[in-house]
Amino acid sequence: MTSLISSPSAPAAPAAPAAPAEAITPLVRGVVVLRTLTEAGGTLSLRDLSHATGLARSTVDRIAATLAHMGYVRLDGRDVTVLPGVMELGNAYLDATHIPEVLGPHVRELADQLDESVSLTVPDGTGLRMIHQVKHRRARIFSFGIGDLLPVERAAPGALMAADWSPETWAEWHAGPALPTIHEFPAGPPGGDPRALFSPDVCTEAAQRGWAEDDQRIAGGLLALGVAVRDPGGRRVCGVSVVSHTSRHTMASLRDAALPGLQRTVARMEDALRRIPVPTSEPPVGTATWTGTSKQVIGREFVESLARGLAAITAFGSGHESLSTTGVADATGLPRATARRVLITLEHLGYVVAEDRRYRLTPRVLELGFPPMSRTSLAQLTEPHIGALAARVQDSASMAVLEGSDIRYTARVPAYRVMSVNITVGTRFPSYATSMGRVLLAGLPSAERRDVLDGVGPLERLTGRTITDRGRLEELLDQVAEQGYALNEGELDEGLRSIAVPVHDRDRRVVAAVNVAMHTSRRTPEECTTDLLPHLRATAARIETEYATATRFVKIPVI
Ligand code: PHB
């Protein structure tokens, strides 16, 4: 999906300091490739990647092949596209920091109470990184996603977070480029040029007042009110923003309506941060996700030092906010000396910080593929999987969700064969007479299933084979739930046969179905179960794995 951020690629960073002698070059280069892909919105051709990174084409090819083996990108002809798998890097930070886990429920409560969007941002260099949001149901067209970097001089909590800046950080901000923002008024924000107005005095004043505002500095029409959350040591670690719109509020009326609730919430958040248990143990051996796979297994295109360096990032998380070099070595299976070099490289890149001989991930890890993936949908991430399935079985493959008592197609890859029905994304059919509908109905809790079927009323006979007896249908649905697939024998259309399996979310709820559909002359029902079912199940499992990674900390819509 294309990014709504006005500048598609972030402006060039100031000249980076030279890498230390121990830095692992392939890891540095791999990170540059992932960052460049992210800035481009998720996809670039190998040629453009080589161009944008200044790396040789053969180097880019090997890095892309390695990232593809890790499930972080997909190679589609000459194009490289990030995949939800890459989100495990950002997930490690979000898991390790505890902020979404501990403060998330408070964000939800405040958003419900105020009936507005609420988000969390953390300081990252001289910007603010978006790490959590509860969006208002009146969807805003313009919005930052999780992992995006907001310009500190424009975002509501910016003045509060910068109140702690050292003169060196102010110098860095002055020397750095203006971060991209969402489309603003052509003439700029009503208050004037945010960069010209931002200063230590403004920040000190905001910090003394305890709140700060964004009056359409991020986007025309967008209003935000920010308050900072302090950790038990008194450091401002996170900004909470209540985000509204000029169609609902003026800046003053938003402050009147939201500030008291926001301040009460922040007090509760600070209390919750004081109660986070301090982790003591190192992670068990081999907890990082990429261990033990080597060049011998995958081939000479595989850049092992890149894979292992990225694996070190996934060693953090699940109670391991900080790790020693030995902890990273144990979790990744790397020799201690290599783990040390990996950590030195990651520190140079700004992805870990060292404190008391222990390392901690920084929110900058989120720049590795997270923002474009946080804007994906289940339908979008499904597309390549059902494309591969359709190519493999030489028949049409689709995904559908339940909408009322109908199914609605959310993704479809047709086979190049004349079909008796014309189906596109958005097509609706009655759920009771389709394989995907049966899988979706079978996955509902019984009371919900009953309500949906009650809503359908008498089951209309669509062909001579349609099951129109409610009792018989319910028996069949129980059987589908039991066996984990549904077959449709010409019940929607005489000449059409299909087989469907469910797709589950992280909580094992059925959220969608995938099927293969064909003319009845193509395969017998038995051949459907012997030849197609294993492929369908493997496809659903791959989709579920990606969806689970993507939805660990981000709400990803089905469509
Ligand atoms: C947002 O959460 O989208 C947001 C946060 C702070 C702002 C503007 C927007 O100042």
Side-chain angles (χ1 to χ4, degrees):
M1 206 183 289
T2 51
S3 163
L4 291 167
I5 312 302
S6 59
S7 155
S9 56
E22 299 104 313
I24 298 168
T25 306
L27 177 55
V28 176
R29 289 176 171 169
V31 158
V32 168
V33 164
L34 272 179
R35 218 164 48 199
T36 306
L37 272 174
T38 305
E39 285 167 3
T43 301
L44 272 180
S45 69
L46 287 160
R47 199 170 140 260
D48 289 348
L49 255 179
S50 165
H51 218 82
T53 57
L55 295 171
R57 175 61 195 270
S58 56
T59 305
V60 169
D61 286 357
R62 276 201 306 278
I63 289 170
T66 303
L67 295 173
H69 280 301
M70 299 179 78
Y72 286 3
V73 303
R74 171 162 59 89
L75 295 172
D76 198 3
R78 290 170 192 285
D79 285 340
V80 188
T81 304
V82 287
L83 289 177
V86 79
M87 292 172 90
E88 72 182 20
L89 301 174
N91 284 346
Y93 162 75
L94 293 170
D95 192 10
T97 170
H98 295 292
I99 290 178
E101 175 199 338
V102 176
L103 304 190
H106 297 279
V107 170
R108 158 66 58 195
E109 203 180 314
L110 182 64
D112 288 347
Q113 179 197 322
L114 297 174
D115 200 22
E116 302 284 1
S117 299
V118 179
S119 66
L120 299 180
T121 48
V122 291
D124 182 354
T126 57
L128 291 182
R129 187 80 59 185
M130 177 75 72
I131 61 159
H132 185 79
Q133 57 191 178
V134 171
K135 284 198 197 167
H136 194 269
R137 54 194 147 68
R138 289 182 307 268
R140 293 201 317 268
I141 306 169
F142 302 125
S143 163
F144 284 105
I146 307 293
D148 277 328
L149 195 60
L150 283 66
V152 71
E153 67 276 14
R154 290 176 183 258
L160 304 165
M161 306 315 274
D164 294 336
W165 279 3
S166 64
E168 291 74 34
T169 310
W170 275 103
E172 209 182 298
W173 175 79
H174 276 292
L179 288 170
T181 182
I182 296 175
H183 301 284
E184 57 171 296
F185 289 126
D193 176 7
R195 261 185 100 79
L197 294 169
F198 202 61
S199 69
D201 284 350
V202 166
C203 296
T204 307
E205 209 178 292
Q208 278 163 1
R209 197 172 50 221
W211 47 268
E213 295 173 339
D214 159 15
D215 185 355
Q216 309 181 76
R217 291 186 306 230
I218 289 282
L222 200 66
L223 303 173
L225 178 68
V227 171
V229 181
R230 291 171 185 271
D231 71 5
R235 280 181 307 189
R236 295 182 180 91
V237 286
C238 173
V240 189
S241 304
V242 175
V243 186
S244 190
H245 195 266
T246 46
S247 60
R248 279 170 66 75
H249 275 299
T250 60
M251 201 65 247
S253 77
L254 177 63
R255 196 191 317 136
D256 289 346
L259 189 57
L262 175 56
Q263 284 172 327
R264 274 195 301 274
T265 297
V266 166
R268 279 198 291 269
M269 286 175 164
E270 291 179 342
D271 207 41
L273 286 180
R274 277 192 285 275
R275 288 197 301 263
I276 296 181
V278 180
T280 46
S281 64
E282 293 290 350
V285 172
T287 49
T289 53
W290 193 266
T291 51
T293 313
S294 69
K295 240 183 173 61
Q296 284 90 323
V297 181
I298 294 175
R300 46 182 285 281
E301 286 285 278
F302 189 66
V303 188
E304 203 171 301
S305 49
L306 167 58
R308 294 189 175 267
L310 292 176
I313 293 176
T314 66
F316 293 82
S318 51
H320 297 99
E321 204 175 340
S322 73
L323 285 174
S324 65
T325 306
T326 307
V328 171
D330 287 349
T332 54
L334 290 174
R336 198 178 175 285
T338 313
R340 187 178 152 268
R341 283 187 63 199
V342 166
L343 287 165
I344 287 172
T345 310
L346 293 175
E347 187 180 15
H348 162 70
L349 293 166
Y351 298 135
V352 300
V353 285
E355 211 177 299
D356 299 334
R357 316 188 101 241
R358 292 179 75 82
Y359 293 85
R360 188 187 290 273
L361 289 180
T362 73
R364 191 160 302 173
V365 166
L366 289 163
E367 78 181 5
L368 302 174
F370 214 89
M373 284 296 93
S374 73
R375 294 183 172 87
T376 192
S377 65
L378 176 60
Q380 200 184 349
L381 69 84
T382 291
E383 198 81 42
H385 295 291
I386 62 167
L389 176 65
R392 175 141 206 172
V393 302
Q394 292 289 302
D395 274 303
S396 304
S398 307
M399 171 177 270
V401 296
L402 203 57
E403 218 172 74
S405 59
D406 285 343
I407 60 160
R408 178 193 160 103
Y409 281 74
T410 56
R412 180 168 166 83
V413 176
Y416 297 102
R417 236 182 273 289
V418 180
M419 291 284 288
S420 51
V421 282
N422 191 15
I423 301 167
T424 57
V425 167
T427 297
R428 295 168 72 116
F429 287 128
S431 56
Y432 68 90
T434 58
S435 61
M436 290 196 283
R438 296 252 173 95
V439 157
L440 291 163
L441 291 171
L444 291 177
S446 51
E448 256 177 75
R449 184 206 286 183
R450 200 179 48 235
D451 289 349
V452 172
L453 291 177
D454 286 351
V456 178
L459 304 174
E460 195 187 334
R461 188 176 303 280
L462 304 170
T463 73
R465 291 171 152 272
T466 312
I467 290 166
T468 54
D469 179 74
R470 166 89 180 245
R472 175 84 203 291
L473 177 66
E474 295 203 34
E475 266 173 39
L476 248 174
L477 293 177
D478 290 340
Q479 194 188 329
V480 168
E482 175 97 355
Q483 69 194 15
Y485 69 90
L487 254 172
N488 181 324
E489 284 289 310
E491 293 181 52
L492 177 74
D493 184 289
E494 288 289 355
L496 196 64
R497 176 169 290 145
S498 65
I499 179 166
V501 298
V503 175
H504 300 90
D505 67 7
R506 290 181 67 83
D507 302 321
R508 295 303 294 165
R509 278 186 304 241
V510 176
V511 286
V514 288
N515 85 348
V516 172
M518 73 223 87
H519 191 267
T520 42
S521 62
R522 288 268 302 150
R523 284 184 193 82
T524 64
E526 292 67 39
E527 285 168 342
C528 282
T529 49
T530 54
D531 300 354
L532 296 180
L533 190 54
H535 294 305
L536 261 172
R537 287 198 159 135
T539 300
R542 281 192 277 270
I543 294 168
E544 284 173 352
T545 301
E546 285 195 350
Y547 191 51
T549 304
T551 52
R552 180 139 182 237
F553 290 103
V554 183
K555 231 176 138 157
I556 301 285
V558 289
I559 304 179

